[in-house]
Amino acid sequence: MAGGAREVLTLQLGHFSGFVGAHWWNQQDAALGGQTDAKEPPGELCPDVLFRTGRTLHGQETYTPRLILMDLKGSLSSLKQEGGLYHDRQLDAAIAWQGKLTTYKEELSSKNPYLQDLLSAEGVLCSDGVWRVKSVPSSKGPPTLATCPASKPHLPTEDSIHVWSDFLRVHLHPRSICMVQKYNHDGEAGRLEAFGQGESILKEPKYLEELEDRLHFYVEECDFLQGFQILCDLHDGFSGLGAKAAELLQDEYSGRGIITWGLLPGPYSLGEPQKNIYRVLNTAFGMVRLAAHSSLLCPLSLGGGLGLRPEPPVSFPHLRYDATLPFHCSAILATALDTLTVPYRLHTTPLPMVHLADMLSGAGKKVVTAEATIPFPLGPSQSLPDILLQLGSTSPWTPLSGCGDPPGARCFAQSVVLRGLDRAHHTSQLSPGTPLPSPLHACSTGDEVLAQFVQQRQPRVSSSHLLLTPCLVAPPYPCLFSSHLSRHGLVLDGPPTGAAVESIPVLGSLNSSSALHGALGGLAQELSKLDLRRWASFMEAGVEQDDMGEMLQDLQSLAQCYQASDSLMD
């Protein structure tokens, strides 16, 4: 691997995880293909942590995500399961067979015009909408780009997006996609609805061996594997599949980090009681089992709560999004994820997955919450100390884990990342001799400003990282931004310019917080009141009554971890 990267293998499990993953990989690919700003030092983030180099059968170099993706039959639309970079060797072998063949053809989905632009193995869609030839990046600098004659590609519209592959713009390796054919993505029958169903998938030799084979393929080519990040749906049966996958990783790759991001789509309707009950049961079982087998678990949701009663979705001052659209919700969560994962993706002095997890998960607190400010509200004439001072004692973040932001919540450990601010904004620009409004204005570097701000929250343990590299939000990222933002996401002082937002500054935080005491304890209390005889179908899917009791006890124990730490700080 170039530059001695500490590689990470990503597992992406479920359809909403596919939406988040598509935005996530698009953003990573845009960072590879975009021109480097002269003001930025190249290589703050190491792409080799997430991507792998390869070569097609024709000798063309490739650069693809180090990814294993599992989804249900019908979720790919017109995207080929084996991808478009390599010939299908199994198909070639079948053609070489001289005996009698019987062919069964299934009607293909109509080709998405956007995906037609990905048929060239050498091309990349850059942020300016131009298709260019991309070479493999090296450790010496950013990838070189050469313009090729191509028309502007079709960009997907919200009406045309039905599955995550409708807007994925990166090529995947043939070993990335693993389809679960026994369950359907669409329709009312054959759905993967319950935790037990998901668990049973990896109890079948067919799927277990396929996953193990793909894991070995990716792991064996790594020079220094630091661990795994799992993007897993919590609301459906993929929570059970994710729990079994995490257990497998823990058993086979002991000592490696396993950071799990439990993903939940927008708020549910009370008019669908069965789906709502299943959602909460799957979430509870998933959180307990994933926490047991992961180094760290962080639920990610734009919903206001994890319980049975849907809460209004969270809001952002400078975003306008539709919480019912997975395309919108997943874009916001992917942007948060792109910032939260910075510590273990840095080119220099990274914080390895295991160390990040150890820092945040002391005394059994293996569940953490996420918060983010998207975009960070900086004006062209303001400095970082100015904005942080304006925030005062209020939280600068929007909660993204369904646990709310209860008053008086305490932070035991915290990892904070701020990215996308030019150096000129890092420190105070007050004239010499001007009285300083706060200690933050006395700091000589942006790193000192951020570190001192984090310590004001009084976590026992903390880390902070300040990056110049922003989050890229060019198409196919949806148009969610206020008209009062500049091209680079700064809050305008004057009238709107009408310029499309291409990149934004983001502030993100992972927290071990006492807010989890109420969120996890409240969830356990709600579920303990359920009459499970009314939901026998959930139990018939593979979960027994004893499993339910054990899960509730484990959930209450998790909640107590945060209460115990809270009392120790008094």
Side-chain angles (χ1 to χ4, degrees), residues 24 27-28 45 333-342 345 419 470-472:
W24 155 273
Q27 288 178 311
Q28 308 314 308
L45 295 173
L333 294 180
T335 301
L337 195 63
D338 192 26
T339 298
L340 298 171
T341 57
V342 157
R345 297 193 291 124
R419 56 186 302 185
C471 279
L472 301 180

Short mmCIF file of all heavy atoms in Angstrom, two decimals, residues 24 27-28 45 333-342 345 419 470-472:
data_model
loop_
_atom_site.label_atom_id
_atom_site.label_comp_id
_atom_site.label_asym_id
_atom_site.label_seq_id
_atom_site.Cartn_x
_atom_site.Cartn_y
_atom_site.Cartn_z
N TRP A 24 -21.16 8.64 0.81
CA TRP A 24 -19.83 8.59 1.43
C TRP A 24 -18.75 8.33 0.38
O TRP A 24 -17.74 9.05 0.30
CB TRP A 24 -19.83 7.50 2.50
CG TRP A 24 -18.53 6.89 2.86
CD1 TRP A 24 -17.93 5.82 2.25
CD2 TRP A 24 -17.63 7.28 3.90
NE1 TRP A 24 -16.74 5.51 2.87
CE2 TRP A 24 -16.54 6.40 3.88
CE3 TRP A 24 -17.67 8.28 4.87
CZ2 TRP A 24 -15.48 6.50 4.78
CZ3 TRP A 24 -16.60 8.38 5.77
CH2 TRP A 24 -15.53 7.50 5.72
N GLN A 27 -18.22 11.19 -2.01
CA GLN A 27 -17.41 12.26 -1.41
C GLN A 27 -15.93 11.89 -1.40
O GLN A 27 -15.06 12.74 -1.65
CB GLN A 27 -17.91 12.57 0.00
CG GLN A 27 -19.26 13.29 0.01
CD GLN A 27 -19.76 13.56 1.43
OE1 GLN A 27 -19.78 12.68 2.26
NE2 GLN A 27 -20.18 14.78 1.68
N GLN A 28 -15.62 10.62 -1.11
CA GLN A 28 -14.22 10.19 -1.14
C GLN A 28 -13.66 10.30 -2.55
O GLN A 28 -12.52 10.73 -2.77
CB GLN A 28 -14.07 8.75 -0.64
CG GLN A 28 -14.72 8.44 0.70
CD GLN A 28 -14.45 9.46 1.76
OE1 GLN A 28 -13.30 9.82 2.01
NE2 GLN A 28 -15.50 9.97 2.39
N LEU A 45 -5.71 13.83 4.45
CA LEU A 45 -6.36 12.54 4.60
C LEU A 45 -5.72 11.55 3.64
O LEU A 45 -5.43 11.88 2.49
CB LEU A 45 -7.86 12.65 4.32
CG LEU A 45 -8.64 13.52 5.31
CD1 LEU A 45 -10.07 13.71 4.84
CD2 LEU A 45 -8.61 12.91 6.71
N LEU A 333 -26.05 12.38 6.84
CA LEU A 333 -25.34 11.44 7.70
C LEU A 333 -23.97 11.07 7.12
O LEU A 333 -23.00 10.91 7.86
CB LEU A 333 -26.18 10.18 7.92
CG LEU A 333 -27.48 10.39 8.72
CD1 LEU A 333 -28.22 9.06 8.88
CD2 LEU A 333 -27.20 11.00 10.09
N ALA A 334 -23.89 10.96 5.79
CA ALA A 334 -22.59 10.66 5.17
C ALA A 334 -21.61 11.80 5.38
O ALA A 334 -20.41 11.58 5.58
CB ALA A 334 -22.78 10.39 3.68
N THR A 335 -22.11 13.03 5.32
CA THR A 335 -21.25 14.20 5.56
C THR A 335 -20.73 14.21 6.99
O THR A 335 -19.56 14.51 7.24
CB THR A 335 -22.03 15.49 5.25
OG1 THR A 335 -22.46 15.45 3.89
CG2 THR A 335 -21.18 16.72 5.48
N ALA A 336 -21.61 13.87 7.93
CA ALA A 336 -21.16 13.75 9.32
C ALA A 336 -20.12 12.63 9.46
O ALA A 336 -19.08 12.80 10.10
CB ALA A 336 -22.35 13.49 10.24
N LEU A 337 -20.39 11.51 8.82
CA LEU A 337 -19.48 10.36 8.89
C LEU A 337 -18.13 10.69 8.28
O LEU A 337 -17.08 10.27 8.80
CB LEU A 337 -20.12 9.18 8.14
CG LEU A 337 -19.54 7.80 8.35
CD1 LEU A 337 -19.69 7.37 9.81
CD2 LEU A 337 -20.24 6.80 7.44
N ASP A 338 -18.12 11.46 7.22
CA ASP A 338 -16.87 11.86 6.57
C ASP A 338 -15.99 12.67 7.52
O ASP A 338 -14.77 12.67 7.40
CB ASP A 338 -17.19 12.68 5.31
CG ASP A 338 -15.99 12.87 4.42
OD1 ASP A 338 -15.08 12.04 4.46
OD2 ASP A 338 -15.96 13.88 3.67
N THR A 339 -16.62 13.37 8.46
CA THR A 339 -15.87 14.16 9.44
C THR A 339 -15.54 13.35 10.69
O THR A 339 -14.42 13.40 11.20
CB THR A 339 -16.68 15.42 9.82
OG1 THR A 339 -16.85 16.23 8.65
CG2 THR A 339 -15.99 16.23 10.90
N LEU A 340 -16.48 12.56 11.18
CA LEU A 340 -16.27 11.80 12.41
C LEU A 340 -15.16 10.76 12.28
O LEU A 340 -14.51 10.41 13.27
CB LEU A 340 -17.58 11.11 12.82
CG LEU A 340 -18.76 12.04 13.15
CD1 LEU A 340 -20.04 11.22 13.31
CD2 LEU A 340 -18.49 12.86 14.41
N THR A 341 -14.95 10.26 11.06
CA THR A 341 -13.95 9.21 10.84
C THR A 341 -12.56 9.76 10.55
O THR A 341 -11.62 8.98 10.33
CB THR A 341 -14.37 8.30 9.66
OG1 THR A 341 -14.55 9.11 8.49
CG2 THR A 341 -15.67 7.58 9.96
N VAL A 342 -12.41 11.07 10.55
CA VAL A 342 -11.12 11.70 10.24
C VAL A 342 -9.97 11.17 11.09
O VAL A 342 -8.87 10.91 10.56
CB VAL A 342 -11.23 13.24 10.35
CG1 VAL A 342 -9.87 13.88 10.59
CG2 VAL A 342 -11.87 13.83 9.09
N ARG A 345 -8.12 8.29 9.64
CA ARG A 345 -7.82 8.38 8.21
C ARG A 345 -6.75 9.43 7.89
O ARG A 345 -6.47 9.71 6.73
CB ARG A 345 -9.10 8.72 7.42
CG ARG A 345 -10.17 7.65 7.53
CD ARG A 345 -11.27 7.86 6.51
NE ARG A 345 -12.09 9.03 6.77
CZ ARG A 345 -12.30 10.01 5.90
NH1 ARG A 345 -11.69 10.00 4.72
NH2 ARG A 345 -13.09 11.01 6.21
N ARG A 419 -13.23 20.89 10.23
CA ARG A 419 -12.55 20.88 8.95
C ARG A 419 -13.14 21.92 8.02
O ARG A 419 -14.31 22.29 8.12
CB ARG A 419 -12.66 19.49 8.31
CG ARG A 419 -14.09 19.01 8.13
CD ARG A 419 -14.16 17.60 7.62
NE ARG A 419 -13.48 17.46 6.34
CZ ARG A 419 -13.47 16.33 5.63
NH1 ARG A 419 -14.11 15.27 6.09
NH2 ARG A 419 -12.85 16.29 4.47
N PRO A 470 -12.05 20.64 3.33
CA PRO A 470 -13.48 20.71 3.61
C PRO A 470 -14.20 19.43 3.21
O PRO A 470 -13.60 18.51 2.63
CB PRO A 470 -13.94 21.87 2.72
CG PRO A 470 -13.04 21.77 1.52
CD PRO A 470 -11.70 21.29 2.05
N CYS A 471 -15.49 19.34 3.49
CA CYS A 471 -16.34 18.28 2.96
C CYS A 471 -16.85 18.73 1.59
O CYS A 471 -17.35 19.86 1.45
CB CYS A 471 -17.53 18.02 3.88
SG CYS A 471 -17.15 16.98 5.29
N LEU A 472 -16.75 17.86 0.60
CA LEU A 472 -17.19 18.19 -0.75
C LEU A 472 -18.66 17.78 -0.94
O LEU A 472 -19.05 16.67 -0.57
CB LEU A 472 -16.31 17.48 -1.77
CG LEU A 472 -14.82 17.83 -1.70
CD1 LEU A 472 -14.04 17.08 -2.76
CD2 LEU A 472 -14.61 19.34 -1.83
#
